Every structure is written in C-alpha cells, then in structure tokens.
Amino acid sequence: MALPPTTPPTPPAAGPVVTISGLHKSFGDREVLRGIDLEVGSGEVVCVIGPSGSGKSTLLRCVNLLEQPTAGTVTVLGTEVTDPDVDIDQVRSRVGMVFQQFNLFAHQSVLQNCTLAQRKVLGRSRAQAEAVAMKNLEHVGLADRAQSMPSQLSGGQQQRVAIARALSMDPELMLFDEPTSALDPELVGEVLAVMRDLAQEGMTMLVVTHEMAFAREVGDRVVFMDDGSVVETGPADQVIGAPAEERTQAFLRRVLDPTHLQVGGPNGT
Amino acid sequence: MAATLSPPPVRPVARPRMSPRRRARTARGIQYALLLVAAAVVVAVTDWRQVGVSFFNPTVAVEMLPTLGRALTNTLVYTAAAFAVGLSLGLLLALMKLSSVRPYRWIATLYIEFFRGIPALLVVVAFGYAVPVALGVSIGSLTAKAALALGMVSAAYIAETLRAGIQAVPRGQVEAARSLGMSHGRTMVTIVIPQAFRIVLPPMTNELILLTKDTSLIFLLGLTPAQYDLTKLGRDFLSSATGGLTALFVIGACYLCITIPLGLLARRLEATTGRGTR
C-alpha cells in the first residue's frame, strides 16, 4: 500500500531535542522541582527514576506544558515552550505523550481514538488518518481491535492503543509517564516490548518509570531524581549497576530487593 | 467475719423471647395485614357506582377523543420547542459558569439563581403581558412564546446539571486531548461535552419530564382551541361536561403516555451508551 507522505519532511533537529535549564516548579508553597538541568539528544532514550514524590512526573509534564513551570526554560524541538507567546498546540502535536492511566477517549472506538487528532489537528483526510492509525495499531499488535471500545480492552491493550494514538501523530519525541504503573504485573511485559521496539527504531524518548530492568536495558541514559533535584545522571549501566551517589544506592536497594527492607532501619523509609 | 466464698451468680444469657429471624417474619406479616386492611377499607368505603359515573364516564371520554389528538400533539410540540431553548441556553450558561472570565460566571450564577428561584408560572405570565409592554415587541407565534418562557426556566436547571456533568469528566481525558495538540475549545467540543452528556442523561430525562408537565402553564398566554394543550382541554371539559372528573383522568393518562416512554427510552439509551464508559 503506497501511503502518501503524512508529514512535511522536517529537517532533523539540530542539537538536542529537549533542553531544560534551571527548571523550578512549585504548587503553592511546595517546591516540587528545584532547578533541573537536562538535555535529551536526538534518538536518545532517557529514563527518569526516583522515589515517588521526587518530581519525576512533574518534570515530564513541564516538557509539553501540562504543568506551567514556575521558573527556568524548556526548549522542545527548537521551540522555547516557556516563552509565553509560543503556540503550544503546535509543539504538542509533534510530541507524543503516554499516561499512567492510559486516558483513552472513553466515548470513542480504538480507531477513532487514533484518528481524531490526526484529522482535527494535522488536517489529514479520514482515509489518510485511518491508514496511519491502522499501521500503528498493527505495530502495537492490536489491528484486530480497531472497532472495540476502550472499556472492552485490558489495561495492557489500552496502553498499547494509547501508544498507537500518540504515534499516529508522527511525533519526533515521545514522553512516557509511568506507562506500566497502573497495569497488572502480567500485562507489563507487552507494553514494555512495544516501547523497546520503538527505542530500537530510533525514537527519541523521555521515560519516567519504575521498571529498573527496562531502564537498564533500553535506556541510553538514566537520571535519578530525589526531592526535586537530579541527584545522579549517566549511562544506564553505570547509574543502575554501580551508582556513585549514596541516595541512588539506597533507592536501588529498596526497589531491587523490597523483601529485605528494614522498616526504620538504615535502609528503611 | 469469714466470708464464705460463694460461686459468682450465674448470669443467665439474655434470651430474647423471639429469635431475630422470627421477629422479622412477624413484622413482615403485620405489614402485609395492614396493607390488606387498608385496601379493604378503601374498597368498602368507596361508592363504586358514583366513581364509575363521575370519574370514568365512557361517554365523556369518547366525546373528548376528536380533540384529544390535537392537544396531545400541541403539548409535545411545546415541550420539544421549550427543551430546545432550554438545552442551548443551558449549555451556554454552563460554559459561562465554568469560564475563566469572572463576569461571565457572575452573570450565569445570577441567571440560574433567579430563574430557579421563581415559579415558572410567573415567567409565563411575564412573557404574556410584561415583556410585550416593557420591550415593545410582541412575539407572534404562541409556540415561540411558550418555548422562550418555559425554556428560560428550564435552562437554569439544565445549566447546573450540565456543569456538574462537564466537571465529572475525568481530567485525564482533557490532558490526553491537549497533549495531542488539540485546542481548549476543540477539546471541549469533541471530548468533554459528548462525555458530559452521557453522564447527565438520567437527570436530563427528569428535566424533560418536568418540562412536559410545565407546559400546562401556557394557558396563561391565552389559547385558541386549536392551540389547546392537554391540561387546558381537560379543564374545558371539566367545566362543560356532566361527566364529573372524567376529563381529569383522561388527561392524566395522556401525560403518562408521554412521560413513561420517555423514562424507558432514557433507560435504554443509558444502557447502550453506558457500555463505552469505564
């Protein structure tokens, strides 16, 4: 099937895809991000790990401005999104996002979920949008469920549809916000497999995750965050395999071997 | 004094005279008996011959038949027109109430509090007499007048219902749409409002049923026989005919013929569209 080109050929982003510098975010008096600096290069897979409440998700949501940063700058695909005059919808249409709770449109079929934004935002025809959607549904192994409603799918299937929906916009960057945290354990694998494929195809990805094995295997770089700051960053093998910082070591001990946790002990809480 | 150690008195386990299960059974039996007695009293006291003549008089009912269809249609038309006004104005008010522009919220709140607080009858009278005088405009069509008067009252209730429905749509739905590059307005129209409508379907049915019955107020606008709604027709027959209250019962049955299918339809819709929700 010969598909018409679906996106105007954008020149490969010169320099980093995401540049975050001096990013602060407060909710009222509570400072959630305390000066984050981070770069994501083209084709790079960066995994963000850290204890809950460390600000990982907020950091991710600041990239496509689902949260408005309090201070600092965020530049995505060459556009400074923190500039008040920026057309954020235009930037968002080039950045895919996958949520912890899937957030499929509950009143629309799987196919409609994947075509809606293509047609309304990118202005594609129905036929064109459906062709792209089917290609991506096939990619995540759910082409046969195109006519199903989201509620008829398992959590893992819903999340794979959510990935297909994001991919249907031909994004240049994918954001994953704990994509497997709401899944039953036996469904985690199918979602991680899709993400691994995506990484191998060269997609630029920023992934907030609790899956250490995935971060180590798929991530080019791992960022460990605690209490609103980046504590340690480096190659995945190094940060997870041989962390330099004491806080990273303590976190990994808790995560990798939760059964030997001593509550109140030196490794505890 | 040497106290003799007597064994502690044996506390008899307080045995209820009737076990809880038996007590429940007896209570249920008494309730049934009461119901039977009440029904028997009603049957014995009622003068059935008189009821037949003055409440369910077939000659009067037959007499009403030729005009009944017209009145039924009129009632349906007034209801539909008023609901159209109420729904569009109600949606506008709901969006105003959720607006980030403060004066819009104030206006919507004022409107809702005002029209929810005064009897619909006053609004209908105002449309019949006060508005033409005050604004110097006279609305020709009776249906338009009825739709505006009843629709404006109904809009206040519908607005509150829709606002609650819009706010009940999970935040993640909005975030997903926005993250795909859809604007706020487009997200509202394609994602939030369709889901809100499904949430508010049951209360909206209530609103439609209330509206159907409120059309009985439009006789205050002055009706020609061709414009009679069900209630006005009933009142006419009530005063002219000798069948006593028969007209009342015929009209009541007609209203039920509208409202009961409405309720069933809503339940059906709810069941079919509800399958899509989580």
Side-chain angles (χ1 to χ4, degrees), chain A residues 61 64 89 92-93 95 97 99 101 103-107 116-117 120-121 149 151 165 169, chain B residues 171-173 175-183 186 190-191 194-195 198 275-278:
Chain A
R61 292 161 61 85
N64 67 354
D89 291 340
R92 281 172 176 161
S93 71
V95 177
M97 181 151 187
F99 298 86
Q101 297 295 339
N103 295 348
L104 292 182
F105 303 135
H107 62 307
L116 179 73
K120 302 283 184 188
V121 178
M149 295 305 281
S151 58
R165 174 174 71 179
M169 299 293 284
Chain B
R171 211 180 129 64
Q173 296 283 312
E175 289 186 348
R178 297 305 307 272
S179 77
L180 287 163
M182 289 167 66
S183 67
R186 171 112 45 202
T190 55
I191 303 299
Q195 293 191 56
R198 176 180 309 160
R275 255 181 245 139
T277 45
R278 270 174 282 182

Side-chain angles (χ1 to χ4, degrees), chain A residues 171-218:
Chain A
E172 294 154 70
L173 164 70
M174 286 285 288
L175 307 173
F176 291 86
D177 186 6
E178 301 196 23
T180 58
S181 297
L183 295 177
D184 290 338
E186 81 268 25
L187 302 178
V188 168
E190 62 191 64
V191 172
L192 292 182
V194 169
M195 291 170 63
R196 186 183 296 119
D197 278 358
L198 206 53
Q200 273 161 9
E201 287 158 22
M203 176 63 75
T204 311
M205 293 162 62
L206 185 55
V207 185
V208 171
T209 186
H210 287 296
E211 301 292 335
M212 294 304 139
F214 174 84
R216 189 167 184 174
E217 184 204 325
V218 179

Side-chain angles (χ1 to χ4, degrees), chain A residues 10 19 45 55 73 85 113 141 168 183 186 216 238 253 259:
Chain A
T10 36
T19 309
V45 177
T73 59
D85 292 327
N113 263 278
S168 294
L183 295 177
E186 81 268 25
R216 189 167 184 174
Q238 182 195 314
R253 263 200 305 276
T259 48

